[in-house]
Amino acid sequence: MGRLVHFEVTSDDPRSTAAFFEVAFGWAAEDSPFCDDYFTLSAADGSMVGAAMSTEYQNQRVIAWLSVDDLEKVMDSVVAAGGKAGGPINEIPGRGRVTYVADPQGTVFGLLEVR
């Protein structure tokens, strides 16, 4: 449980941030079909490594994403450990369910339940 699977970098100009990663690391940037100002970043082998997104969604500069088996169970564990859960759970077609949670100091991270 809790394996690191993805990261998000937030930006006031996510398109230029995505372009930076294309040039600096050779990753391909693509517009997300699910939300505006969100660009997936993929390695040469096609695996998604991260994303650049608007600070409109979150303002923390880097957000780590963890793969979990049971979203609700982990959200309960986050709260029991003194963190915060309660953001919406969203379905990403073909990928799974996702939500944001925070540790006791307010650091945001994402949870992905693969389906």
Side-chain angles (χ1 to χ4, degrees):
M1 173 172 30
R3 184 175 65 87
L4 185 63
V5 293
H6 184 73
F7 72 88
E8 292 172 324
V9 174
T10 66
S11 171
D12 293 330
D13 184 356
R15 183 175 301 280
S16 69
T17 300
F20 163 79
F21 282 102
E22 284 184 301
V23 173
F25 299 102
W27 296 343
E30 294 184 27
D31 289 315
S32 169
F34 304 113
C35 56
D36 296 331
D37 290 329
Y38 193 99
F39 300 86
T40 60
L41 303 169
S42 300
D45 67 1
S47 62
M48 187 187 312
V49 293
M53 71 178 192
S54 173
T55 53
E56 172 185 332
Y57 300 114
Q58 294 285 340
N59 61 8
Q60 180 176 295
R61 286 298 179 193
V62 177
I63 301 167
W65 279 83
L66 305 174
S67 176
V68 300
D69 295 329
D70 184 326
L71 204 55
E72 284 82 358
K73 182 177 179 181
V74 174
M75 291 170 69
D76 289 344
S77 295
V78 165
V79 172
K84 292 188 184 345
I89 295 173
N90 295 298
E91 180 81 27
I92 298 178
R95 181 82 181 173
R97 298 186 316 145
V98 298
T99 192
Y100 290 105
V101 294
D103 72 9
Q105 288 73 40
T107 303
V108 173
F109 57 99
L111 302 176
L112 165 65
E113 179 188 89
V114 177
R115 290 191 160 192

